[in-house]
Amino acid sequence: MADSSTATFVLIHGGGSTSWDWHLVAPVLKGLGHEVVAVDLPIEDPANGVGEYADAVVEACAGRPNLVVVAHSWGGLVAPIVASRIDAELLVFVTAMVPLPGEAPNDWWAASGFSDLEASESEEDQFYNGVPAALAEECTARGRAQTGERDGEPSPLKAWPDVPTRFLLCRDDRFFPPVFVRAMVNDRLGFVPDEIDGGHMIALARPRELAERLHRYWTELPR
């Protein structure tokens, strides 16, 4: 029987990125007694869509106990598909996109209200505020081309998974601003998001605080 004090955190990165985004969070989670699976989504293959991205995550965590699915940013479109295909104990969105069942990724931007926002800062400032310069540069260098050729197709998510769900809003996020996120989460998930200091790339800016919050979410689950 699996030890209920130990979770397997399944970490899903954002768009155009890699599992490296979680490289500072993973050792903290391990130090708290957990297992970690961080997956590189197969985003560079134009034959793949969100369903295939989810398949890659499901395959990577097969046979692991006490699964907690954690998604950052664009990875939020993948996470509920994963949670609907595995025996997940918890689903956590970290300043992430929350899809509706059947919603095409390309449709999220307008349907969520994000397209109505006006950006007043550079993309670098929107994403990397609070991140040490060397980490920001390495993250950018490690970025991958995400083809998105199938992002116009409806999501294979048929219904929201019956899994306890948390949303962590980043108070200093300049890409998904708190005012937008609170409204989006209330509209799509029906609850008020939790909050933490930090910008959009919180896993690089405040990895310990993020890991400790994820650990707390696990310990707060009813047993």
Side-chain angles (χ1 to χ4, degrees):
M1 185 175 182
D3 181 356
S4 62
S5 67
T6 300
T8 300
F9 283 91
V10 183
L11 307 178
I12 304 174
H13 63 75
S17 202
T18 71
S19 60
W20 180 88
D21 290 359
W22 299 103
H23 81 285
L24 299 177
V25 174
V28 182
L29 287 172
K30 291 176 181 177
L32 292 168
H34 303 295
E35 299 295 327
V36 174
V37 176
V39 185
D40 285 317
L41 302 179
I43 59 175
E44 296 168 295
D45 187 342
N48 294 330
V50 287
E52 287 72 25
Y53 301 165
D55 287 340
V57 179
V58 170
E59 181 179 358
C61 65
R64 304 278 190 135
N66 301 333
L67 297 169
V68 177
V69 180
V70 182
H72 174 247
S73 197
W74 202 94
L77 302 185
V78 179
I81 306 172
V82 173
S84 70
R85 295 179 179 177
I86 64 175
D87 187 18
E89 300 285 339
L90 179 64
L91 174 58
V92 183
F93 293 86
V94 179
T95 190
M97 298 159 70
V98 177
L100 297 175
E103 183 175 62
N106 283 347
D107 292 341
W108 182 90
W109 305 97
S112 68
F114 179 85
S115 295
D116 297 332
L117 301 178
E118 293 186 10
S120 58
E121 299 176 286
S122 69
E123 184 173 298
E124 181 179 356
D125 288 337
Q126 289 181 68
F127 279 92
Y128 293 116
N129 62 305
V131 177
L135 285 175
E137 290 173 6
E138 184 166 0
C139 188
T140 299
R142 288 174 176 270
R144 296 180 293 154
Q146 183 164 333
T147 66
E149 290 195 17
R150 295 181 56 194
D151 285 355
E153 299 177 9
S155 169
L157 183 68
K158 302 300 183 185
W160 197 259
D162 184 18
V163 177
T165 302
R166 306 291 291 260
F167 192 105
L168 188 57
L169 173 157
C170 295
R171 297 188 187 100
D172 307 306
D173 196 334
R174 298 174 183 171
F175 183 63
F176 288 156
V179 171
F180 160 74
V181 170
R182 293 186 189 103
M184 188 264 294
V185 173
N186 180 67
D187 180 55
R188 294 185 168 225
L189 293 176
F191 60 74
V192 176
D194 301 319
E195 300 191 10
I196 192 171
D197 291 337
H200 192 70
M201 299 299 289
I202 188 171
L204 297 178
R206 295 174 176 264
R208 176 163 292 279
E209 292 94 324
L210 176 56
E212 289 176 348
R213 182 66 67 98
L214 296 175
H215 170 72
R216 194 179 91 191
Y217 286 162
W218 173 252
T219 62
E220 289 174 347
L221 278 178
R223 302 290 179 219

